[in-house]
């Protein structure tokens, strides 16, 4: 019997080499090579999807002969998921949903397919038994006659069953538990993940059945397995959130059929995930009147504006080096904002510990939250609370100027809708927006000093 050939594969990019190397020559990652048994060359050529072998090869087409009709999309009856996908699930697309263990990936997918009426779905689970899935289905309180469950990890078997059932939607939970007989290494290894996802992609493209693929993430927070996994799928969604909070956020990282700026918010309940269509109400539940160190910001994530509570705590540094910590906000950006405060506005924060927290476990990238961050820091430092009913939006520049932000109208309207009475916005940001109908008082500010005068008198 021929000796199994081992190769070394980069767990980051999937490149291989006959010898172990410390630094991947292809992606530059250190210490990423793992030993694997190579794909059996002779059988690797074989098609592993039955019934598709005799199809005619695809011929090249002239671009101008191709009709640009809209993609056929499957409505998933979940507004958040539909929006994040760019308006529903495109036929024949491969969607990867990544997330930490226990975050609710299986729940999200199961409750979604149980809600689909008249759509035949096949849910393949490599992690849970059919009884466990039944218990979960009972919990989410939805039922459909069209959902098949298959507990199987052998990909060839899965394709045979898919051929028999001919589903309209296939779910694979999870890619790391699947294996193909063509590769000898264990499930979850780089070559298994790569080969399996390539075969699933081929199935999706040739049969036109959309596939939802669930993937684990590693401890660095990226999807486990080679980067090629992310390259071959059409859409990568990340399901994130803090286990201790109820909120879960579905982010689109890559989308061939829509924008990646979209965001879906869910709340984990006893009976599954609930869509949160108005996130501001959820994020602003507490009554924080009279508390110092809290500022409300009108931020935009994706296409939706929402009001976010920014909390800061400034206290005297006990140890030599003051501590700086930020949750849900970029620490380097916070340090920059503190330096602006120190330099331009004359506040001595050098001997103070500064802690910053974005309430609700959210991570915010919108620069318009800057103004709320420095206002919260100052409010805590002075121990003067910001009047209730005031919110703000504005990016802060290095010289303490407040820079215009995008889509200010949406922010103002959201603040007004939620009953805020005053909003601080950057000077000259309104450009043509008719404010005469707004009931909310709009205050334009040029510099941070001006904003502070407005807030703290
Ligand atoms: P799960 O979907 O199994 O996570 P993943 O597939 O991402 O590993 O989610 C499991 C968690 O969700 C578990 O800790 C229990 C919780 N949960 C609820 O709070 N309510 C529910 O209705 C369900 C089904 C799960
Ligand atoms: Mg799961």
């Amino acid at each position: 019997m021929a000796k199994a050939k081992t190769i070394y594969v980069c767990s980051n990019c999937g490149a291989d080499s006959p010898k172990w190397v410390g630094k991947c020559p292809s992606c530059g990652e250190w210490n990423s090579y793992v030993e694997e048994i190579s794909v059996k060359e002779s059988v690797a050529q074989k098609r592993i999807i039955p019934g598709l072998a005799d199809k005619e090869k695809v011929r090249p087409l002239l671009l101008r002969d191709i009709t640009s009709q809209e993609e056929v999309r499957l409505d998933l009856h979940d507004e958040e998921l539909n929006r994040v996908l760019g308006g529903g699930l495109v036929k024949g697309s491969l969607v990867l949903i990544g997330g930490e263990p226990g975050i609710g990936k299986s729940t999200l997918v199961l409750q979604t397919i149980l809600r689909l009426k008249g759509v035949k779905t096949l849910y393949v689970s490599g992690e849970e038994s059919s009884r466990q899935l039944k218990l979960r289905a009972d919990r989410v309180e939805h039922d459909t006659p069209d959902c098949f469950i298959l507990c199987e990890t052998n990909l060839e078997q899965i394709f045979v069953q898919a051929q028999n059932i001919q589903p309209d939607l296939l779910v694979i939970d999870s890619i790391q538990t699947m294996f193909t007989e063509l590769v000898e290494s264990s499930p979850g290894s780089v070559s298994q993940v790569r080969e399996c996802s390539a075969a699933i992609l081929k199935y999706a493209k040739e049969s036109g059945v959309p596939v939802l693929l669930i993937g684990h993430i590693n401890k660095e927070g990226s999807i486990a397995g080679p980067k090629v996994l992310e390259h071959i799928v059409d859409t990568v969604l990340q399901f994130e959130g803090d286990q201790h909070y109820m909120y879960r956020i579905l982010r689109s990282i890559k989308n061939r059929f829509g924008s990646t700026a979209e965001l879906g918010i869910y709340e984990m309940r006893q009976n599954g995930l609930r869509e949160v269509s108005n996130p501001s109400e959820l994020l602003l539940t507490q009554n924080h009147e009279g508390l110092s160190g809290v500022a409300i910001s009108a931020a935009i994530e994706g296409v939706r504006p929402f009001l976010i509570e920014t909390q800061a705590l400034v206290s005297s540094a006990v140890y030599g080096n003051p501590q700086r910590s930020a949750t849900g906000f970029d620490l380097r950006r916070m340090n920059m904002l503190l330096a602006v405060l120190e330099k331009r506005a004359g506040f001595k924060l050098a001997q103070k510990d500064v802690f910053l927290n974005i309430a609700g476990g959210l991570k915010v990238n919108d620069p318009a939250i800057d103004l709320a961050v420095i206002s919260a820091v100052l409010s805590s430092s002075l121990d003067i609370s910001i009047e209730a009913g005031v919110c703000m939006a504005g990016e802060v520049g290095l010289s303490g100027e407040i820079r215009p932000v995008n889509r200010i109208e949406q922010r103002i309207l959201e603040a007004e809708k939620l009953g805020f009475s005053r909003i601080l916005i950057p000077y000259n940001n309104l450009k043509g927006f008719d404010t005469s109908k707004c009931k909310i008082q709009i205050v334009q500010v040029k510099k941070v000093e001006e904003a502070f005068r407005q807030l703290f008198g």
Side-chain angles (χ1 to χ4, degrees):
M1 206 180 89
K3 208 174 143 231
K5 201 173 140 213
T6 61
I7 52 165
Y8 292 86
V9 186
C10 172
S11 50
N12 187 43
C13 72
D16 53 27
S17 141
K19 278 202 199 123
W20 189 84
V21 276
K23 184 185 178 188
C24 175
S26 155
C27 69
E29 191 72 16
W30 284 92
N31 212 4
S32 62
Y33 271 69
V34 289
E35 186 179 352
E36 290 212 347
I37 298 157
S38 71
V39 182
K40 287 187 222 154
E41 295 291 336
S42 54
V43 279
Q45 311 298 330
K46 265 203 272 174
R47 287 172 182 271
I48 56 169
I49 308 169
L52 295 168
D54 35 311
K55 272 212 175 148
E56 193 187 338
K57 290 271 186 309
V58 188
R59 280 197 225 117
L61 288 176
L62 276 176
L63 182 60
R64 56 174 225 223
D65 289 346
I66 300 172
T67 49
S68 62
Q69 42 177 231
E70 274 283 295
E71 303 281 354
V72 189
R73 289 179 189 261
L74 181 70
D75 181 5
L76 294 175
H77 299 289
D78 178 328
E79 254 178 58
E80 305 292 297
L81 194 55
N82 274 342
R83 203 186 42 245
V84 175
L85 286 168
L89 188 59
V90 174
K91 288 265 156 73
S93 67
L94 183 54
V95 177
L96 175 67
I97 302 177
E100 283 176 30
I103 204 78
K105 304 179 290 298
S106 307
T107 308
L108 176 68
V109 173
L110 189 69
Q111 77 173 44
T112 304
I113 62 174
L114 290 182
R115 265 193 231 163
L116 297 176
K117 295 276 181 300
V119 180
K120 208 196 287 175
T121 51
L122 175 60
Y123 186 107
V124 181
S125 178
E127 306 198 333
E128 284 155 308
S129 67
S130 31
R131 262 203 66 226
Q132 276 173 304
L133 285 166
K134 179 72 185 164
L135 284 175
R136 189 195 304 255
D138 290 344
R139 243 178 119 173
V140 299
E141 294 166 1
H142 284 285
D143 201 12
T144 167
D146 306 307
C147 175
F148 290 90
I149 299 286
L150 174 67
C151 296
E152 177 64 83
T153 54
N154 181 327
L155 204 62
E156 281 78 12
Q157 283 302 314
I158 292 168
F159 286 134
V160 170
Q161 296 306 330
Q163 287 295 324
N164 291 344
I165 292 178
Q166 297 279 344
D168 302 317
L169 171 64
L170 177 67
V171 176
I172 306 272
D173 185 3
S174 64
I175 184 68
Q176 278 86 6
T177 56
M178 297 298 146
F179 75 95
T180 156
E181 288 159 8
L182 298 184
V183 183
E184 282 184 4
S185 45
S186 54
S189 66
V190 178
S191 32
Q192 280 289 4
V193 169
R194 192 176 48 193
E195 293 302 316
C196 288
S197 43
I200 294 168
L201 178 77
K202 205 152 165 248
Y203 167 80
K205 296 295 165 207
E206 292 186 6
S207 64
V209 175
V211 182
L212 292 177
L213 206 61
I214 293 179
H216 296 166
I217 63 171
N218 57 23
K219 57 180 182 301
E220 286 89 40
S222 55
I223 289 156
K227 269 271 178 284
V228 283
L229 179 57
E230 281 170 64
H231 290 309
I232 70 168
V233 301
D234 295 308
T235 303
V236 181
L237 305 181
Q238 185 125 336
F239 205 35
E240 54 192 47
D242 200 307
Q243 294 246 342
H244 306 290
Y245 289 101
M246 304 138 355
Y247 323 123
R248 302 282 186 268
I249 295 161
L250 189 67
R251 247 178 234 282
S252 161
I253 299 177
K254 164 186 171 177
N255 195 351
R256 289 193 181 137
F257 308 108
S259 145
T260 53
E262 292 298 349
L263 202 74
I265 302 187
Y266 292 90
E267 186 185 356
M268 185 56 105
R269 291 267 182 101
Q270 274 306 315
N271 52 356
L273 291 151
R274 186 183 70 92
E275 300 160 45
V276 177
S277 42
N278 187 358
S280 304
E281 275 171 12
L282 195 93
L283 297 168
L284 295 176
T285 41
Q286 276 119 8
N287 179 10
H288 41 70
E289 208 168 326
L291 295 180
S292 68
V294 176
I296 311 292
S297 166
I300 288 190
E301 280 281 318
V303 290
R304 267 194 307 185
F306 44 89
L307 288 132
I308 296 177
E309 194 178 314
T310 314
Q311 307 169 331
L313 176 66
V314 178
S315 61
S316 304
V318 191
Y319 305 107
N321 278 339
Q323 288 188 61
R324 300 283 142 96
S325 126
T327 315
F329 190 74
D330 183 20
L331 185 61
R332 269 182 304 178
R333 183 139 194 107
M334 181 179 94
N335 282 332
M336 187 211 94
L337 292 174
L338 293 180
V340 170
L341 261 183
E342 180 116 33
K343 179 84 175 178
R344 306 288 172 189
F347 303 106
K348 298 277 170 266
L349 290 160
Q351 293 311 312
K352 304 277 192 188
D353 288 342
V354 179
F355 304 97
L356 185 76
N357 179 34
I358 308 291
L362 282 187
K363 278 196 203 79
V364 186
N365 299 320
D366 184 3
I369 186 176
D370 285 358
L371 185 56
V373 169
I374 55 169
S375 304
V377 169
L378 194 63
S379 160
S380 173
S381 168
L382 299 171
D383 204 12
I384 301 177
S385 66
I386 295 173
E387 195 191 322
V390 178
C391 65
M392 58 204 82
E395 182 180 342
V396 175
L398 285 182
S399 50
E401 81 276 20
I402 298 180
R403 306 169 63 95
V405 293
N406 60 2
R407 291 189 276 163
I408 193 76
E409 321 82 54
Q410 269 180 289
R411 300 174 198 264
I412 294 172
L413 295 175
E414 177 75 5
E416 187 176 274
K417 198 170 91 193
L418 288 162
F420 281 79
S421 55
R422 192 145 61 107
I423 181 166
L424 266 57
I425 64 162
Y427 189 73
N428 247 345
N429 203 171
L430 282 171
K431 285 191 209 96
F433 175 57
D434 182 17
T435 55
S436 56
K437 284 203 198 82
C438 294
K439 277 192 255 59
I440 189 168
Q441 185 195 350
I442 298 170
V443 186
Q444 303 194 35
V445 284
K446 256 188 191 150
K447 299 212 134 247
V448 285
E449 295 93 315
E450 239 179 283
F452 297 154
R453 240 175 286 130
Q454 286 287 337
L455 293 171
F456 306 108

